[in-house]
Amino acid sequence: MLVLLPPSEGKAAGGSGAPLEPGALSLPGLAQARATVLEELVELCAGDELKAREVLGLSEGLRGEVAKNAGLRTAGARPAGEIYTGVLYDALDLAGLPAAPRAAAEASLLVFSGLWGAVRITDRIPSYRCSMGVKLPALGALGAYWRAPMAEVMPAAAGDGLVLDLRSAAYATAWKPKGEVAGRTATVRVLHAQVVDGVEKRSVVSHFNKATKGRLVRDLLVAGAEPAGPAELVTALRDLGHVVEAEAPARAGRAWSLDVVVTQIHH
């Protein structure tokens, strides 16, 4: 199973450890593209701070992120699983996983990134600020920039098993599973169901969608579940107590769509 995750906007500090070693990152086929984005981001943030904040969509209160980006090459690095924080990662609680689920997480989780393309949770990276929606002056929209490099490496990374795609829309633009890989891919949407005047109404959960997705992944890891494909994933999630409605693709070469229905919103 390969699980595709979005990163978090907020990130833990990189600390005082050794700096980034680009050649040690997973998916070495992305090395050149990563070097190009890193160079452009560092150059942007080492120059006009106001322009950098505008490009990165940062408020005055986040001006420190510009200086942080400017020093990425020498900043301390930590495993990506420690750098990414926020609602999804709090619910996933990587640090609290027992040994076997933790090993499964290291083998199966892939975090998409505007700066790195995608990294494993064991890859050591510095804390940074650069979402997939950013348009760097020399490269344009990063979602579009990453499509070609990701298309080269992702089919092999996906292997021959289930691909569980939990990315947000912006990060899904960087790679779309195609053909045979798409047929064993499942995307997940979280819906909040509540009864209003005797009628059940459903709404797309935004912020808390992330927490639910984090719990889904944690539950699968702790249970040692190894679903072979989308149909088996539906069964596994239902066995774990989740309410799942699945829609098989109408034709070959399309991903499955799963709705996870929640009645209580968890922080």
Side-chain angles (χ1 to χ4, degrees):
M1 177 172 66
L2 180 68
V3 182
L4 311 181
L5 297 175
S8 58
E9 285 297 320
K11 299 173 182 69
S16 58
L20 170 74
E21 295 180 30
L25 296 177
S26 302
L27 305 179
L30 299 178
Q32 185 54 57
R34 286 169 174 152
T36 300
V37 178
L38 179 62
E39 181 178 355
E40 292 296 329
L41 181 62
V42 169
E43 182 177 339
L44 169 70
C45 292
D48 185 329
E49 182 199 288
L50 194 59
K51 178 183 178 182
R53 278 175 40 208
E54 181 180 346
V55 169
L56 297 174
L58 300 176
S59 65
E60 169 72 23
L62 292 173
R63 61 187 302 175
E65 300 291 289
V66 175
K68 183 167 71 174
N69 281 348
L72 282 173
R73 288 196 177 94
T74 56
R78 292 165 60 188
E82 298 176 15
I83 290 290
Y84 294 120
T85 59
V87 178
L88 187 154
Y89 292 90
D90 285 347
L92 178 53
D93 186 21
L94 288 168
L97 285 175
R102 172 70 190 202
E106 293 176 357
S108 62
L109 304 187
L110 194 65
V111 184
F112 272 60
S113 162
L115 175 53
W116 315 113
V119 292
R120 301 281 185 183
I121 61 170
T122 51
D123 286 331
R124 295 179 64 263
I125 58 174
S127 183
Y128 67 96
R129 189 72 173 232
C130 183
S131 72
M132 193 66 82
V134 163
K135 296 181 180 179
L136 289 177
L139 302 179
L142 289 175
Y145 171 82
W146 280 111
R147 280 178 203 149
M150 296 303 289
E152 290 290 323
V153 305
M154 282 306 299
D160 56 6
L162 168 70
V163 178
L164 176 53
D165 189 352
L166 302 178
R167 297 173 296 167
S168 53
Y171 290 89
T173 62
W175 180 65
K176 182 179 180 180
K178 296 180 179 179
E180 182 269 335
V181 178
R184 48 188 169 84
T185 297
T187 62
V188 172
R189 180 175 64 163
V190 179
L191 298 178
H192 178 214
Q194 54 186 332
V195 177
V196 180
D197 296 329
V199 178
E200 183 183 86
K201 295 187 177 181
R202 293 181 175 184
S203 58
V204 176
V205 181
S206 54
H207 180 72
F208 302 108
N209 156 55
K210 299 174 183 177
T212 300
K213 289 180 175 179
R215 279 193 293 275
L216 288 179
V217 176
R218 183 179 179 83
D219 287 351
L220 289 167
L221 293 170
V222 171
E226 297 181 357
E232 292 83 359
L233 171 66
V234 173
T235 299
L237 290 175
R238 287 173 177 166
D239 288 346
L240 289 167
H242 297 282
V243 178
V244 182
E245 297 175 356
E247 183 179 339
R251 59 179 185 270
R254 297 290 180 90
W256 283 55
S257 298
L258 273 57
D259 284 344
V260 176
V261 183
V262 297
T263 55
Q264 293 183 333
I265 303 300
H266 299 278
H267 291 266

